Amino acid sequence: MNILILGSGGRESAFAWKIAQSPKCTNLYIAPGNAGTGAYGTNVNLKVTDFEGIKAFALANDINLVLVGPEEPLVKGIHDFFLADEELKNIPVVGPQQEAAQLEGSKDFSKEFMQRNGVPTAASKTFTRDTLQEGMDYLATAGLPIVLKADGLAAGKGVLICLSLEEAKQELNAMLAEAKFGDASSKVVVEQFLQGIELSVFVMTDGNSYKILPEAKDYKRIGEGDTGLNTGGMGSISPVPFADEAFMQKVEQKVIIPTIEGLKKEGIPYKGFIFIGLMNTHGEPWVIEYNCRMGDPETESVMLRIESDFVDLLEGVAEGNLHEKKLIISPKTAATVVCVAGGYPGEYLKNKAIAGIENVRDSHVFHAGTTQVGDEVQATGGRVLAVSSLQDDMFNALQQATADAARIYYDGVYFRKDIGFDLL
Ligand code: AMP
Protein backbone atom coordinates (compact mmCIF):
# COMPACT_ATOMS: atom_id res chain seq x y z
CA MET A 1 0.00 0.00 0.00
CA ASN A 2 1.02 3.57 -0.60
CA ILE A 3 0.10 5.56 2.47
CA LEU A 4 -0.12 9.32 2.97
CA ILE A 5 -0.04 10.77 6.49
CA LEU A 6 -1.22 14.36 6.90
CA GLY A 7 0.46 16.42 9.60
CA SER A 8 3.84 17.49 10.91
CA GLY A 9 4.00 16.92 14.66
CA GLY A 10 5.22 14.31 17.10
CA ARG A 11 1.96 12.42 16.63
CA GLU A 12 2.57 12.07 12.91
CA SER A 13 6.21 11.09 13.52
CA ALA A 14 5.04 8.27 15.77
CA PHE A 15 2.45 7.16 13.20
CA ALA A 16 5.12 7.21 10.49
CA TRP A 17 7.58 5.23 12.64
CA LYS A 18 4.96 2.56 13.28
CA ILE A 19 3.58 2.40 9.74
CA ALA A 20 7.05 2.16 8.18
CA GLN A 21 7.54 -1.13 10.06
CA SER A 22 4.59 -2.77 8.37
CA PRO A 23 5.25 -5.24 5.57
CA LYS A 24 2.00 -3.95 4.04
CA CYS A 25 3.45 -0.48 3.48
CA THR A 26 5.19 0.01 0.13
CA ASN A 27 5.61 3.78 0.03
CA LEU A 28 4.99 6.15 2.91
CA TYR A 29 4.55 9.88 2.46
CA ILE A 30 4.15 12.53 5.13
CA ALA A 31 2.69 15.93 4.25
CA PRO A 32 4.29 18.19 5.24
CA GLY A 33 6.26 16.18 7.84
CA ASN A 34 9.32 17.55 9.65
CA ALA A 35 13.09 17.02 9.86
CA GLY A 36 12.57 13.59 11.44
CA THR A 37 9.81 12.04 9.35
CA GLY A 38 12.12 11.72 6.33
CA ALA A 39 13.68 8.75 8.16
CA TYR A 40 10.44 6.77 7.77
CA GLY A 41 9.17 7.93 4.39
CA THR A 42 9.14 10.84 1.98
CA ASN A 43 8.16 14.33 3.09
CA VAL A 44 5.79 16.15 0.76
CA ASN A 45 5.63 19.92 0.83
CA LEU A 46 1.86 20.33 1.14
CA LYS A 47 -0.32 22.01 3.73
CA VAL A 48 -2.83 19.74 5.47
CA THR A 49 -5.67 22.04 4.35
CA ASP A 50 -4.56 22.24 0.70
CA PHE A 51 -7.21 19.76 -0.45
CA GLU A 52 -6.59 20.31 -4.17
CA GLY A 53 -2.85 19.84 -3.71
CA ILE A 54 -3.48 16.67 -1.70
CA LYS A 55 -5.79 15.41 -4.45
CA ALA A 56 -3.17 15.94 -7.17
CA PHE A 57 -0.51 14.24 -5.04
CA ALA A 58 -2.72 11.27 -4.11
CA LEU A 59 -3.60 10.61 -7.76
CA ALA A 60 -0.08 11.07 -9.08
CA ASN A 61 1.36 8.73 -6.44
CA ASP A 62 -1.26 6.04 -6.41
CA ILE A 63 -2.12 6.57 -2.74
CA ASN A 64 -4.20 3.73 -1.24
CA LEU A 65 -4.91 5.20 2.19
CA VAL A 66 -4.82 8.63 3.82
CA LEU A 67 -4.31 8.93 7.58
CA VAL A 68 -5.25 12.35 8.92
CA GLY A 69 -3.28 13.43 12.02
CA PRO A 70 -4.64 16.84 13.11
CA GLU A 71 -8.23 18.00 13.58
CA GLU A 72 -8.21 21.00 11.24
CA PRO A 73 -8.50 19.16 7.91
CA LEU A 74 -11.15 16.85 9.43
CA VAL A 75 -13.25 19.71 10.75
CA LYS A 76 -12.82 21.39 7.34
CA GLY A 77 -14.13 18.24 5.64
CA ILE A 78 -11.21 16.48 3.97
CA HIS A 79 -12.94 13.12 4.23
CA ASP A 80 -16.10 14.52 2.60
CA PHE A 81 -13.92 16.11 -0.10
CA PHE A 82 -12.51 12.69 -0.98
CA LEU A 83 -15.95 11.03 -0.97
CA ALA A 84 -17.45 13.70 -3.22
CA ASP A 85 -14.73 13.46 -5.84
CA GLU A 86 -15.11 10.83 -8.59
CA GLU A 87 -11.36 10.23 -8.78
CA LEU A 88 -10.76 10.15 -5.02
CA LYS A 89 -13.83 8.44 -3.64
CA ASN A 90 -12.22 5.00 -3.59
CA ILE A 91 -9.20 6.14 -1.61
CA PRO A 92 -10.05 5.50 2.04
CA VAL A 93 -9.49 8.30 4.54
CA VAL A 94 -8.91 7.39 8.19
CA GLY A 95 -10.46 10.26 10.12
CA PRO A 96 -14.15 11.14 10.41
CA GLN A 97 -16.28 13.19 8.05
CA GLN A 98 -17.16 16.78 8.83
CA GLU A 99 -20.38 16.05 10.69
CA ALA A 100 -18.75 13.61 13.11
CA ALA A 101 -15.71 15.86 13.47
CA GLN A 102 -18.12 18.28 15.15
CA LEU A 103 -17.66 16.10 18.22
CA GLU A 104 -14.44 18.09 18.50
CA GLY A 105 -15.25 21.13 16.38
CA SER A 106 -18.26 22.17 18.47
CA LYS A 107 -18.45 21.71 22.24
CA ASP A 108 -22.19 22.37 22.08
CA PHE A 109 -22.67 19.61 19.49
CA SER A 110 -20.64 17.17 21.59
CA LYS A 111 -22.49 18.01 24.81
CA GLU A 112 -25.84 17.52 23.13
CA PHE A 113 -24.65 14.26 21.61
CA MET A 114 -23.55 13.01 25.04
CA GLN A 115 -26.80 14.06 26.68
CA ARG A 116 -28.91 12.37 23.96
CA ASN A 117 -26.93 9.17 24.26
CA GLY A 118 -26.60 8.90 28.02
CA VAL A 119 -22.83 9.41 28.13
CA PRO A 120 -21.85 10.69 31.59
CA THR A 121 -20.71 14.30 31.36
CA ALA A 122 -20.85 17.44 33.53
CA ALA A 123 -24.15 19.34 33.58
CA SER A 124 -24.02 22.31 31.22
CA LYS A 125 -25.91 25.05 29.40
CA THR A 126 -25.03 26.83 26.17
CA PHE A 127 -25.39 30.57 25.65
CA THR A 128 -25.06 32.94 22.71
CA ARG A 129 -24.78 36.71 22.44
CA ASP A 130 -28.58 36.88 22.34
CA THR A 131 -28.88 34.95 25.58
CA LEU A 132 -25.96 36.62 27.39
CA GLN A 133 -28.21 37.92 30.19
CA GLU A 134 -29.62 34.44 30.79
CA GLY A 135 -26.01 33.24 30.93
CA MET A 136 -25.20 35.83 33.59
CA ASP A 137 -28.23 34.75 35.63
CA TYR A 138 -27.22 31.11 35.26
CA LEU A 139 -23.69 31.85 36.48
CA ALA A 140 -25.14 33.48 39.60
CA THR A 141 -26.93 30.25 40.52
CA ALA A 142 -24.17 27.80 39.50
CA GLY A 143 -21.54 26.63 41.96
CA LEU A 144 -17.84 27.48 41.83
CA PRO A 145 -15.46 26.85 40.23
CA ILE A 146 -17.30 27.03 36.93
CA VAL A 147 -15.99 26.11 33.48
CA LEU A 148 -16.52 28.29 30.38
CA LYS A 149 -15.84 26.73 27.01
CA ALA A 150 -15.75 28.45 23.63
CA ASP A 151 -17.87 26.31 21.33
CA GLY A 152 -15.45 26.17 18.38
CA LEU A 153 -11.77 25.36 17.89
CA ALA A 154 -9.65 27.91 19.76
CA ALA A 155 -6.16 26.39 19.50
CA GLY A 156 -6.51 24.76 22.92
CA LYS A 157 -7.10 28.09 24.64
CA GLY A 158 -10.90 28.19 24.68
CA VAL A 159 -11.49 26.59 28.10
CA LEU A 160 -11.50 28.81 31.18
CA ILE A 161 -11.89 27.57 34.72
CA CYS A 162 -13.23 30.47 36.77
CA LEU A 163 -12.80 30.55 40.52
CA SER A 164 -15.04 33.54 41.25
CA LEU A 165 -18.43 34.68 40.00
CA GLU A 166 -16.96 38.02 39.03
CA GLU A 167 -14.29 36.40 36.85
CA ALA A 168 -16.87 34.10 35.25
CA LYS A 169 -19.15 37.03 34.39
CA GLN A 170 -16.27 39.02 32.95
CA GLU A 171 -15.10 36.11 30.83
CA LEU A 172 -18.57 35.20 29.61
CA ASN A 173 -19.03 38.79 28.52
CA ALA A 174 -15.60 38.86 26.83
CA MET A 175 -16.31 35.63 24.96
CA LEU A 176 -19.84 36.42 23.81
CA ALA A 177 -19.99 40.20 23.53
CA GLU A 178 -16.36 40.95 22.65
CA ALA A 179 -15.61 37.81 20.61
CA LYS A 180 -12.55 36.97 22.74
CA PHE A 181 -11.94 33.85 20.65
CA GLY A 182 -13.46 35.22 17.46
CA ASP A 183 -16.14 33.07 15.90
CA ALA A 184 -15.16 30.15 18.14
CA SER A 185 -16.78 31.93 21.10
CA SER A 186 -20.00 33.01 19.40
CA LYS A 187 -21.47 30.21 21.55
CA VAL A 188 -20.22 29.35 25.03
CA VAL A 189 -20.84 26.16 26.98
CA VAL A 190 -21.01 26.83 30.73
CA GLU A 191 -20.20 23.63 32.54
CA GLN A 192 -20.01 22.28 36.04
CA PHE A 193 -16.46 21.72 37.33
CA LEU A 194 -15.45 18.09 37.73
CA GLN A 195 -13.05 17.11 40.48
CA GLY A 196 -10.77 14.16 39.89
CA ILE A 197 -7.84 12.89 37.88
CA GLU A 198 -7.76 13.00 34.09
CA LEU A 199 -6.81 10.41 31.51
CA SER A 200 -7.22 9.92 27.78
CA VAL A 201 -8.83 6.89 26.21
CA PHE A 202 -8.46 6.19 22.50
CA VAL A 203 -10.85 4.22 20.37
CA MET A 204 -10.33 3.14 16.79
CA THR A 205 -13.57 2.49 14.93
CA ASP A 206 -14.85 1.59 11.48
CA GLY A 207 -18.28 2.88 12.49
CA ASN A 208 -19.53 -0.52 13.65
CA SER A 209 -16.96 -2.23 15.76
CA TYR A 210 -14.18 -0.69 17.78
CA LYS A 211 -10.84 -1.42 19.39
CA ILE A 212 -9.71 0.27 22.58
CA LEU A 213 -6.11 1.42 22.19
CA PRO A 214 -3.82 1.80 25.21
CA GLU A 215 -4.98 4.59 27.52
CA ALA A 216 -2.62 7.42 28.43
CA LYS A 217 -2.24 10.37 30.73
CA ASP A 218 -0.84 13.61 29.42
CA TYR A 219 0.68 16.61 31.15
CA LYS A 220 -0.48 19.95 29.81
CA ARG A 221 1.06 22.61 32.03
CA ILE A 222 4.46 24.09 31.21
CA GLY A 223 5.80 23.95 34.75
CA GLU A 224 6.81 21.09 37.02
CA GLY A 225 4.17 20.10 39.53
CA ASP A 226 1.49 20.98 36.93
CA THR A 227 1.94 24.72 37.26
CA GLY A 228 1.94 27.62 34.82
CA LEU A 229 0.39 28.03 31.41
CA ASN A 230 -1.30 25.37 29.34
CA THR A 231 0.66 23.91 26.43
CA GLY A 232 -0.04 21.48 23.61
CA GLY A 233 1.34 18.79 25.93
CA MET A 234 4.61 18.30 27.80
CA GLY A 235 4.61 14.54 28.20
CA SER A 236 2.58 11.38 28.51
CA ILE A 237 2.55 7.96 30.04
CA SER A 238 0.81 4.70 29.19
CA PRO A 239 -0.58 2.60 30.84
CA VAL A 240 -2.19 4.70 33.56
CA PRO A 241 -2.04 2.88 36.90
CA PHE A 242 -5.42 4.06 38.19
CA ALA A 243 -7.12 2.92 34.97
CA ASP A 244 -7.44 -0.62 36.25
CA GLU A 245 -9.64 -3.29 34.73
CA ALA A 246 -12.71 -2.34 36.77
CA PHE A 247 -12.42 1.32 35.74
CA MET A 248 -11.78 0.51 32.08
CA GLN A 249 -14.82 -1.75 32.08
CA LYS A 250 -16.92 1.16 33.26
CA VAL A 251 -15.39 3.31 30.54
CA GLU A 252 -16.32 0.75 27.91
CA GLN A 253 -19.86 0.17 29.18
CA LYS A 254 -20.80 3.71 30.13
CA VAL A 255 -18.84 5.74 27.59
CA ILE A 256 -17.48 3.84 24.60
CA ILE A 257 -20.46 1.65 23.77
CA PRO A 258 -23.03 4.48 24.10
CA THR A 259 -20.77 6.68 21.95
CA ILE A 260 -20.40 4.15 19.12
CA GLU A 261 -24.07 3.14 19.33
CA GLY A 262 -25.10 6.81 19.42
CA LEU A 263 -23.18 7.53 16.23
CA LYS A 264 -24.80 4.53 14.54
CA LYS A 265 -28.30 5.37 15.78
CA GLU A 266 -27.97 8.97 14.60
CA GLY A 267 -26.67 7.86 11.21
CA ILE A 268 -23.31 9.60 11.66
CA PRO A 269 -20.61 7.59 9.88
CA TYR A 270 -17.28 7.44 11.71
CA LYS A 271 -14.07 5.91 10.46
CA GLY A 272 -11.09 6.90 12.53
CA PHE A 273 -10.00 7.61 16.06
CA ILE A 274 -12.07 8.93 18.92
CA PHE A 275 -10.04 10.53 21.70
CA ILE A 276 -12.06 10.61 24.88
CA GLY A 277 -10.85 13.01 27.56
CA LEU A 278 -12.09 11.59 30.87
CA MET A 279 -12.19 12.64 34.47
CA ASN A 280 -11.98 9.81 36.98
CA THR A 281 -14.13 11.05 39.86
CA HIS A 282 -14.15 8.57 42.74
CA GLY A 283 -13.75 5.68 40.28
CA GLU A 284 -16.46 6.85 37.88
CA PRO A 285 -15.67 8.08 34.36
CA TRP A 286 -17.04 11.47 33.20
CA VAL A 287 -16.39 12.73 29.69
CA ILE A 288 -14.70 16.13 29.49
CA GLU A 289 -14.37 16.16 25.73
CA TYR A 290 -14.16 14.18 22.54
CA ASN A 291 -11.48 14.78 19.95
CA CYS A 292 -11.80 13.40 16.45
CA ARG A 293 -8.16 12.34 16.18
CA MET A 294 -5.35 10.96 18.30
CA GLY A 295 -3.72 13.13 20.95
CA ASP A 296 -0.20 14.50 20.96
CA PRO A 297 1.98 13.57 22.93
CA GLU A 298 -0.18 10.56 23.86
CA THR A 299 0.21 8.97 20.41
CA GLU A 300 3.97 8.71 20.89
CA SER A 301 3.47 6.57 24.02
CA VAL A 302 0.50 4.66 22.57
CA MET A 303 2.32 3.66 19.35
CA LEU A 304 5.20 2.21 21.36
CA ARG A 305 2.77 -0.15 23.10
CA ILE A 306 0.98 -1.43 20.00
CA GLU A 307 2.58 -4.68 18.91
CA SER A 308 0.22 -5.52 16.04
CA ASP A 309 0.66 -4.37 12.47
CA PHE A 310 -0.83 -0.89 12.58
CA VAL A 311 -1.48 -0.81 8.82
CA ASP A 312 -3.60 -3.94 9.21
CA LEU A 313 -5.70 -2.09 11.80
CA LEU A 314 -5.97 1.00 9.57
CA GLU A 315 -7.13 -1.27 6.75
CA GLY A 316 -9.78 -2.67 9.07
CA VAL A 317 -11.08 0.85 9.68
CA ALA A 318 -11.03 1.64 5.97
CA GLU A 319 -12.69 -1.58 4.85
CA GLY A 320 -15.17 -1.93 7.70
CA ASN A 321 -13.79 -5.23 8.99
CA LEU A 322 -11.99 -3.99 12.09
CA HIS A 323 -13.66 -6.76 14.11
CA GLU A 324 -11.54 -9.31 12.22
CA LYS A 325 -8.29 -7.61 13.16
CA LYS A 326 -6.09 -8.32 16.12
CA LEU A 327 -4.86 -5.65 18.47
CA ILE A 328 -1.94 -6.77 20.61
CA ILE A 329 -0.80 -4.40 23.33
CA SER A 330 2.51 -4.57 25.15
CA PRO A 331 2.27 -4.83 28.95
CA LYS A 332 5.32 -2.57 29.22
CA THR A 333 5.19 1.13 30.08
CA ALA A 334 5.83 3.90 27.59
CA ALA A 335 6.79 7.39 28.74
CA THR A 336 7.18 10.50 26.60
CA VAL A 337 8.98 13.69 27.59
CA VAL A 338 8.57 16.66 25.26
CA CYS A 339 11.46 19.09 24.70
CA VAL A 340 10.09 22.56 23.94
CA ALA A 341 11.57 25.83 22.75
CA GLY A 342 12.72 28.46 25.27
CA GLY A 343 9.82 30.79 26.02
CA TYR A 344 7.10 28.38 24.91
CA PRO A 345 4.06 28.59 25.23
CA GLY A 346 4.63 32.34 24.89
CA GLU A 347 6.90 33.90 22.26
CA TYR A 348 9.63 31.33 21.80
CA LEU A 349 13.15 30.97 20.40
CA LYS A 350 13.36 29.74 16.83
CA ASN A 351 15.96 28.40 14.41
CA LYS A 352 18.22 26.93 17.05
CA ALA A 353 20.52 24.08 15.97
CA ILE A 354 19.77 20.79 17.74
CA ALA A 355 22.63 18.63 19.00
CA GLY A 356 22.92 15.37 20.87
CA ILE A 357 20.09 13.29 19.45
CA GLU A 358 22.69 10.62 18.66
CA ASN A 359 23.55 10.43 22.38
CA VAL A 360 20.09 9.22 23.35
CA ARG A 361 20.49 5.69 24.75
CA ASP A 362 17.21 3.85 24.89
CA SER A 363 14.41 6.12 23.66
CA HIS A 364 12.85 7.02 20.36
CA VAL A 365 13.20 10.66 19.44
CA PHE A 366 10.09 11.69 17.55
CA HIS A 367 10.51 15.03 15.85
CA ALA A 368 7.77 17.66 16.13
CA GLY A 369 8.74 21.31 15.51
CA THR A 370 11.97 20.69 13.59
CA THR A 371 13.22 21.72 10.16
CA GLN A 372 16.22 20.58 8.17
CA VAL A 373 18.25 23.65 7.18
CA GLY A 374 21.31 22.62 5.19
CA ASP A 375 23.25 20.19 7.43
CA GLU A 376 21.48 21.34 10.55
CA VAL A 377 18.32 20.16 12.22
CA GLN A 378 16.80 23.26 13.73
CA ALA A 379 14.18 23.75 16.42
CA THR A 380 11.50 25.76 14.67
CA GLY A 381 8.28 25.01 16.56
CA GLY A 382 7.11 25.33 20.16
CA ARG A 383 7.16 21.63 20.85
CA VAL A 384 10.41 20.46 19.29
CA LEU A 385 11.01 16.78 20.07
CA ALA A 386 9.19 14.00 21.88
CA VAL A 387 11.52 11.56 23.64
CA SER A 388 9.71 8.26 24.21
CA SER A 389 10.89 5.18 25.98
CA LEU A 390 9.36 1.73 26.39
CA GLN A 391 10.54 -0.15 29.47
CA ASP A 392 9.46 -3.01 31.71
CA ASP A 393 8.02 -0.77 34.38
CA MET A 394 6.90 2.77 34.94
CA PHE A 395 9.88 3.93 36.95
CA ASN A 396 12.37 2.81 34.32
CA ALA A 397 10.33 4.24 31.43
CA LEU A 398 10.08 7.62 33.14
CA GLN A 399 13.70 7.66 34.18
CA GLN A 400 14.96 6.63 30.75
CA ALA A 401 12.86 9.14 28.80
CA THR A 402 13.80 11.93 31.20
CA ALA A 403 17.51 11.05 31.17
CA ASP A 404 17.51 10.82 27.39
CA ALA A 405 15.73 14.17 27.00
CA ALA A 406 18.63 15.66 29.00
CA ARG A 407 21.10 14.38 26.38
CA ILE A 408 19.66 16.74 23.77
CA TYR A 409 20.74 20.35 23.51
CA TYR A 410 19.67 23.49 21.71
CA ASP A 411 19.60 27.10 22.92
CA GLY A 412 16.70 27.44 25.32
CA VAL A 413 15.83 23.72 25.51
CA TYR A 414 13.33 22.97 28.27
CA PHE A 415 11.51 19.86 29.37
CA ARG A 416 9.70 18.80 32.52
CA LYS A 417 11.63 16.43 34.75
CA ASP A 418 8.56 15.31 36.67
CA ILE A 419 6.41 13.73 33.93
CA GLY A 420 4.59 10.74 35.38
CA PHE A 421 6.36 10.80 38.71
CA ASP A 422 3.08 11.79 40.44
CA LEU A 423 1.80 8.32 39.55
CA LEU A 424 4.66 6.33 41.09
P1 AMP B 1 -10.94 20.66 26.90
O1 AMP B 1 -10.46 21.62 25.84
O2 AMP B 1 -12.40 20.44 26.94
O3 AMP B 1 -10.10 19.42 26.95
O4 AMP B 1 -10.55 21.33 28.28
C1 AMP B 1 -9.19 21.63 28.59
C2 AMP B 1 -8.91 21.21 30.00
O5 AMP B 1 -9.74 21.92 30.90
C3 AMP B 1 -9.18 19.75 30.28
O6 AMP B 1 -8.12 18.92 29.91
C4 AMP B 1 -9.41 19.78 31.78
O7 AMP B 1 -8.19 19.79 32.46
C5 AMP B 1 -10.08 21.09 31.99
N1 AMP B 1 -11.54 20.92 32.04
C6 AMP B 1 -12.41 21.00 31.02
N2 AMP B 1 -13.67 20.80 31.43
C7 AMP B 1 -13.61 20.59 32.76
C8 AMP B 1 -14.58 20.34 33.77
N3 AMP B 1 -15.88 20.27 33.49
N4 AMP B 1 -14.14 20.17 35.03
C9 AMP B 1 -12.83 20.26 35.34
N5 AMP B 1 -11.89 20.51 34.45
C10 AMP B 1 -12.24 20.67 33.17
Side-chain angles (χ1 to χ4, degrees), residues 107 111 121-123 146-147 149 156-161 191-196 198 218 220-221 230 275 277 279 287-291:
K107 304 264 187 211
K111 291 299 285 193
T121 188
I146 188 90
V147 186
K149 298 184 171 185
K157 297 195 170 76
V159 174
L160 304 168
I161 296 171
E191 183 176 287
Q192 176 199 6
F193 180 79
L194 295 168
Q195 204 97 43
E198 281 182 69
D218 78 330
K220 288 212 172 70
R221 303 294 195 92
N230 254 325
F275 164 141
M279 191 70 86
V287 176
I288 295 176
E289 60 164 349
Y290 291 116
N291 287 334

Side-chain angles (χ1 to χ4, degrees), residues 333-383:
T333 295
T336 295
V337 172
V338 177
C339 297
V340 302
Y344 176 81
E347 272 296 305
Y348 55 82
L349 298 174
K350 285 195 185 124
N351 304 106
K352 300 296 177 190
I354 300 172
I357 294 180
E358 67 283 3
N359 296 332
V360 164
R361 295 203 182 139
D362 194 13
S363 301
H364 300 269
V365 179
F366 294 119
H367 288 232
T370 65
T371 309
Q372 187 80 39
V373 182
D375 301 341
E376 272 181 11
V377 174
Q378 294 188 355
T380 46
R383 290 189 294 164

Side-chain angles (χ1 to χ4, degrees), residues 47-51 68 70-82 96-102 104-105 153 292:
K47 281 199 181 130
V48 296
T49 49
D50 177 6
F51 293 0
V68 186
E71 63 279 17
E72 195 188 0
L74 294 168
V75 172
K76 290 191 169 152
I78 188 150
H79 194 151
D80 313 69
F81 174 83
F82 269 65
Q97 286 163 251
Q98 198 164 22
E99 185 186 11
Q102 290 301 302
E104 174 164 3
L153 295 180
C292 61

Side-chain angles (χ1 to χ4, degrees), residues 335 337 359-364 387-391 393-407 421:
V337 172
N359 296 332
V360 164
R361 295 203 182 139
D362 194 13
S363 301
H364 300 269
V387 181
S388 303
S389 199
L390 183 70
Q391 302 293 337
D393 59 52
M394 191 161 59
F395 180 77
N396 281 302
L398 292 168
Q399 204 191 34
Q400 190 66 49
T402 308
D404 278 334
R407 296 189 164 95
F421 285 96

